[in-house]
Amino acid sequence: MRNWKRNTALAMAAVMTASSIFSVSAAAPEVVTDEALYGNLDYYGTMKSMNIVKGVSLNGQTQISDYGDYSEVKNMTSDIAPQISTTGVTFDGLDGKGRFYYQVTPKSLEEKLPWTVDISYKLNGVPAQAENLAGASGMVEIDIHITPVQDTADYLKNNMLLTVATTIDMTKNLSVEAPGAQIQALGGTEAVMFAALPGEEKDFVIRIGSDQFSLDA
């Protein structure tokens, strides 16, 4: 039985805090948003899918417009439907109070993020292909190298925080070691999470002892 999930080896979330990207009148209080980008990676670190959750401090505004190019938009706060056009998305009729949350799916994955992620594997100290590790016995090492991208927007380079995370089913594996990571037990699963500050180049390592290797998506 092959226990390796084909759709993703790791989940990556990049979080940034942003000033207003929305249209408001010059005399009105500024609308401020923060964004959390959640991306699924393939075995080797290539982005396969991406969603962005945006949290908006309305500051009295009842209408906001976001000029991104999205294939899907979801209101996470109320029943107000997004008005999607070729130039972006608008929410109208908001109450102007507190925080407003919505999720968008970009049409393209080609926008340059401020890091590249490269993932490689070893089995008992020997380089291995991810596709061949399902059910393996021994020590599986996952090496994650993140490199800052220089030719991306200064705003992204200076404001985006990176989190790399995965979950490990401890009912199917024997041990987990991840120096420098936060490890949280969740029942029979252990969540492993690494973080990097803007502009940092880092190497992360996860070592999993197993007699029938399995890594959750």
Side-chain angles (χ1 to χ4, degrees):
M1 178 179 178
R2 298 185 65 83
N3 291 317
W4 190 282
K5 306 293 182 66
R6 287 199 58 82
N7 61 333
T8 176
L10 292 169
M12 182 181 74
V15 183
M16 64 179 176
T17 301
S19 59
S20 176
I21 60 170
F22 301 117
S23 62
V24 296
S25 64
E30 186 178 58
V31 173
V32 178
T33 182
D34 57 67
E35 304 181 1
L37 182 153
Y38 299 91
N40 287 327
L41 308 180
D42 68 8
Y43 300 149
Y44 300 105
T46 300
M47 186 77 73
K48 301 299 291 183
S49 64
M50 180 192 305
N51 289 304
I52 303 171
V53 174
K54 304 195 179 192
V56 185
S57 297
L58 293 173
N59 295 329
Q61 296 299 316
T62 59
Q63 182 186 84
I64 58 174
S65 295
D66 180 340
Y67 298 105
D69 190 15
Y70 307 124
S71 62
E72 187 175 9
V73 181
K74 296 180 180 178
N75 182 340
M76 303 173 69
T77 304
S78 67
D79 295 329
I80 295 174
Q83 302 170 24
I84 303 173
S85 69
T86 56
T87 59
V89 59
T90 295
F91 289 95
D92 198 3
L94 305 175
D95 64 10
K97 301 176 182 178
R99 300 273 290 171
F100 176 73
Y101 293 91
Y102 65 102
Q103 176 180 292
V104 297
T105 302
K107 286 184 179 179
S108 173
L109 299 179
E110 294 181 357
E111 180 180 357
K112 286 189 176 180
L113 298 177
W115 287 278
T116 59
V117 181
D118 181 69
I119 305 173
S120 60
Y121 303 84
K122 295 176 183 175
L123 176 60
N124 297 323
V126 179
Q129 296 296 307
E131 297 87 343
N132 299 329
L133 289 174
S137 178
M139 181 65 69
V140 175
E141 180 175 308
I142 305 171
D143 297 299
I144 307 162
H145 181 69
I146 62 167
T147 305
V149 175
Q150 298 304 318
D151 60 340
T152 191
D154 287 341
Y155 171 77
L156 295 179
K157 288 191 292 186
N158 295 331
N159 291 280
M160 186 172 279
L161 307 176
L162 177 68
T163 299
V164 179
T166 192
T167 56
I168 299 164
D169 187 345
M170 298 308 294
T171 67
K172 299 176 181 177
N173 297 293
L174 303 175
S175 64
V176 58
E177 176 187 357
Q182 290 186 339
I183 301 178
Q184 180 68 48
L186 305 170
T189 299
E190 291 201 357
V192 177
M193 183 175 68
F194 297 97
L197 296 174
E200 284 191 321
E201 180 174 359
K202 282 199 169 184
D203 290 288
F204 304 131
V205 179
I206 304 173
R207 299 183 183 93
I208 302 169
S210 182
D211 55 12
Q212 189 177 7
F213 177 70
S214 172
L215 182 65
D216 287 347

